């Protein structure tokens, strides 16, 4: 199996897992219609500024529907990031120096967006 | 209770339609989704764009996997251009956050409308599936290894190609990333222009590579939108599922209705949505 196929499968599996988690989250939420009612509104005040990914992971043990949906969204956001990391690995294997640097810069941009700016913003 | 189910079904149906139309017109689900959510369902713009960014990742990752397997996507060229799209996405998301903080979203409505109308214009004027003119490689072709080949099923031949003007491609990609972060869309049309017009790559390579890049751009903006609080879980969750279903159905139908009148009906619909977005922005701004 070549590198492109690995990348291709990673993307597909990532999407499938994330959609499955989101659907599971909705099934869990449906057990508690009042909670769902509060969230499912045009002007719901619950949004992601209030939850950190760590809190989401903790919520999974409690079978909290919202946390399953949020975890699904995190997996979805993570798929392209994993893709870039795989790309980096591929260029390292090819010993393609210029592209190792290029992919590293892309990864750096992602790290800035995912870790550095959120940390400064808090 | 019935209201609740009705609301959820409306969201699912609207996002499926958006994914379907977006895939048939080649503009992506978000371009149709955000106008429907804001103009017809009264969802606030930050939540609508947050949900649409998420759905953009789902469709990009979902369909990119098929194209990489077909070997049309040029992973190398895509990666080299992502430097600019991710940087643009960071800048765009930060500007969007400032605009929302200052309650100036009317400006975003107007920009959104202009982006829809200009991408429709580009689509209508472009010759389809034509191979690019044969131009001499320049210094960037060699340095960044901007070449490749793919098997063209329509022409039944292996097409060899090379790209030029990498720097111009990067500039266009920065703007594409900026628009993506600002409006929560994939900016696929602009990315295609960057590769097809600026870098002289074949249209098939440009569209599939653009689709592949959209996910990384949207992931950059999404994580910032997450921190700013523009992602509402129920809305984003349903939208991701709906747009993905619509987009997958769209690709199945696409082969059959290529260049038919149905496509023009959808393009007309997009023009109406674009005009409505501008009107909405202008009148609220007054």
């Amino acid at each position: 199996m070549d590198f492109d196929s690995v990348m291709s499968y990673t993307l597909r599996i990532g999407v499938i897992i994330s959609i499955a988690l989101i659907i599971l989250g909705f099934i869990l939420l449906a057990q508690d219609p009042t909670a769902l009612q509060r969230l499912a509104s045009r002007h719901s005040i619950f949004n992601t500024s209030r939850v950190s990914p760590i809190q989401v992971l903790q919520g999974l043990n409690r079978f909290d529907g919202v946390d399953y949906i949020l975890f699904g969204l995190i997996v979805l956001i993570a798929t392209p990031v994993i893709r870039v990391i795989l790309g980096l690995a591929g260029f390292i294997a090819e010993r393609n120096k210029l592209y190792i640097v290029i992919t590293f810069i892309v990864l750096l941009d992602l790290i800035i967006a995912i870790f550095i700016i959120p940390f400064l913003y808090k | 209770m019935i209201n609740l189910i009705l609301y959820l079904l409306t969201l699912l149906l609207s996002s499926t339609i958006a994914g379907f139309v977006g895939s048939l017109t080649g503009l992506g689900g978000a371009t149709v989704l955000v106008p429907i959510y804001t103009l017809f369902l009264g969802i606030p713009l930050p939540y609508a764009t947050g949900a649409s960014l998420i759905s953009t990742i789902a469709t990009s990752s979902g369909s990119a996997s098929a194209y990489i397997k077909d070997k049309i996507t040029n992973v190398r060229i895509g990666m080299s251009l992502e430097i600019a799209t991710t940087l643009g996405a960071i800048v765009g998301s930060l500007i969007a956050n400032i605009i929302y903080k200052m309650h100036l979203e009317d400006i975003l409505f107007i920009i959104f409308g202009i982006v829809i109308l200009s991408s429709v214009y580009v689509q209508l004027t472009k010759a389809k599936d034509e191979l690019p003119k044969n131009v001499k490689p320049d210094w960037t072709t060699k340095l960044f290894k901007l070449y490749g080949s793919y098997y063209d099923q329509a022409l039944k031949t292996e097409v060899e190609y090379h790209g030029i003007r990498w720097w111009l491609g990067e500039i266009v990609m920065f703007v594409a990333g900026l628009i993506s972060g600002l409006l929560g869309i994939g900016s696929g049309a602009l990315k295609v222009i960057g590769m097809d017009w600026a870098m002289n790559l074949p249209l098939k390579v440009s569209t599939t590579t653009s689709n592949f890049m959209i996910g990384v751009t949207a992931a950059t903006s999404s994580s910032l939108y997450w921190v700013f609080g523009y992602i509402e879980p129920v809305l984003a969750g349903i939208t991701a599922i709906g747009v993905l279903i619509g987009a997958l159905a769209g690709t199945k139908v696409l082969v059959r209705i290529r260049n038919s009148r149905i496509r023009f009906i959808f393009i007309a619909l997009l023009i109406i949505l674009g005009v409505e977005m501008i009107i909405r922005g202008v009148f609220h701004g007054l």
Side-chain angles (χ1 to χ4, degrees):
Chain A
M1 199 152 78
D2 63 358
F3 231 86
D4 287 352
S5 310
V6 174
M7 224 182 242
S8 182
Y9 281 114
T10 311
L11 292 174
R12 191 169 296 180
I13 292 166
V15 173
I16 292 169
I17 292 175
S18 110
I19 296 295
L21 283 165
I22 293 171
I23 292 171
L24 182 63
F26 276 109
I27 293 169
L28 290 170
L29 256 185
Q31 318 293 319
D32 185 3
T34 45
L36 184 58
Q37 188 99 50
R38 248 184 301 123
L39 289 166
S41 128
R42 285 165 184 79
H43 302 280
S44 154
I45 49 156
F46 182 85
N47 63 49
T48 44
S49 65
R50 296 165 168 232
V51 277
S52 69
I54 296 161
Q55 283 170 285
V56 171
L57 291 177
Q58 287 164 348
L60 297 182
N61 289 329
R62 285 183 275 113
F63 290 100
D64 184 327
V66 178
D67 285 322
Y68 274 86
I69 296 174
L70 286 171
F71 187 53
L73 299 181
I74 291 174
V75 171
L76 201 56
I77 296 172
T79 45
V81 182
I82 293 168
R83 210 267 283 155
V84 174
I85 295 171
L86 277 176
L88 184 63
F91 292 129
I92 289 173
E94 277 178 23
R95 292 175 199 278
N96 188 340
K97 279 198 195 113
L98 180 67
Y99 270 88
I100 293 173
V101 175
I102 285 173
T103 314
F104 193 73
I105 297 172
V106 176
L107 207 56
L108 207 64
D109 281 348
L110 282 166
I111 290 169
I112 290 173
I114 296 170
F115 299 108
I116 297 178
I117 295 177
F119 180 75
L120 296 173
Y121 189 80
K122 282 280 148 86
Chain B
M1 190 66 193
I2 291 178
N3 276 340
L4 174 68
I5 294 169
L6 217 59
Y7 175 71
L8 295 176
L9 281 178
T10 312
L11 291 181
L12 188 65
L13 191 69
S14 323
S15 49
T16 309
I17 292 171
F20 188 73
V21 177
S23 129
L24 285 188
T25 52
L27 293 176
T31 317
V32 189
L33 184 80
V34 176
I36 294 179
Y37 273 10
T38 54
L39 299 175
F40 304 128
L41 300 184
I43 290 163
L45 190 61
Y47 281 174
T49 51
S52 100
L53 266 179
I54 295 285
S55 73
T56 304
I57 305 177
T59 37
S60 165
S61 295
S63 55
S65 59
Y67 291 130
I68 304 173
K69 261 186 144 175
D70 286 343
K71 308 262 181 217
I72 305 178
T73 303
N74 192 315
V75 175
R76 204 169 49 225
I77 293 178
M79 194 69 89
S80 81
L81 295 173
E82 273 164 10
I83 294 181
T85 61
T86 49
L87 204 61
I90 293 174
V91 176
S93 309
L94 293 174
I95 295 174
N97 189 37
I98 294 170
I99 291 177
Y100 287 131
K101 283 264 156 70
M102 295 172 77
H103 301 287
L104 296 172
E105 44 251 75
D106 296 316
I107 296 176
L108 292 181
F109 274 101
I110 296 170
I111 299 175
F112 204 109
I114 294 170
V115 168
I116 297 180
L117 293 182
S118 46
S119 50
V120 167
Y121 173 77
V122 169
Q123 248 210 339
L124 287 175
T125 50
K126 191 163 28 213
K128 289 207 80 188
D129 293 337
E130 208 182 295
L131 292 178
K133 284 190 296 275
N134 201 1
V135 291
K136 262 202 190 133
D138 63 9
W139 62 275
T140 58
T141 309
K142 210 172 165 194
L143 180 61
F144 294 102
K145 301 195 177 78
L146 307 177
Y147 35 75
S149 66
Y150 69 95
Y151 183 74
D152 193 316
Q153 286 193 319
L155 300 171
K156 294 208 185 326
T157 169
E158 186 84 7
V159 177
E160 284 198 26
Y161 62 87
H162 60 260
I164 54 166
R165 292 187 298 219
W166 181 78
W167 52 273
L168 190 58
E170 290 288 324
I171 294 171
V172 179
M173 291 304 164
F174 179 80
V175 178
L178 189 87
I179 298 286
S180 167
L182 201 58
L183 305 178
I185 58 176
S187 275
L190 254 172
K191 287 191 173 86
V192 171
I193 292 174
M195 282 178 273
D196 166 79
W197 168 78
M199 299 177 70
N200 201 48
L201 292 165
L203 193 60
K204 265 199 188 128
V205 177
S206 304
T207 46
T208 52
T209 307
S210 142
N211 196 3
F212 173 71
M213 292 164 62
I214 284 171
V216 179
T217 318
T220 315
S221 314
S222 295
S223 70
L224 292 173
Y225 272 52
W226 182 293
V227 185
F228 299 148
Y230 301 153
I231 294 170
E232 203 283 312
V234 168
L235 182 67
I238 292 200
T239 307
I241 295 171
V243 172
L244 190 63
I245 295 172
L248 292 177
T251 29
K252 290 250 160 70
V253 180
L254 188 64
V255 196
R256 263 174 279 158
I257 71 149
R258 183 157 291 206
N259 284 326
S260 73
R261 284 201 192 125
I262 305 169
R263 213 172 137 261
F264 282 97
I265 294 171
F266 285 134
I267 288 176
L269 183 99
L270 275 171
I271 295 171
I272 295 167
L273 289 179
V275 172
E276 289 223 5
M277 289 297 270
I278 294 176
I279 291 173
R280 160 78 201 259
V282 170
F283 277 89
H284 266 261
L286 285 177

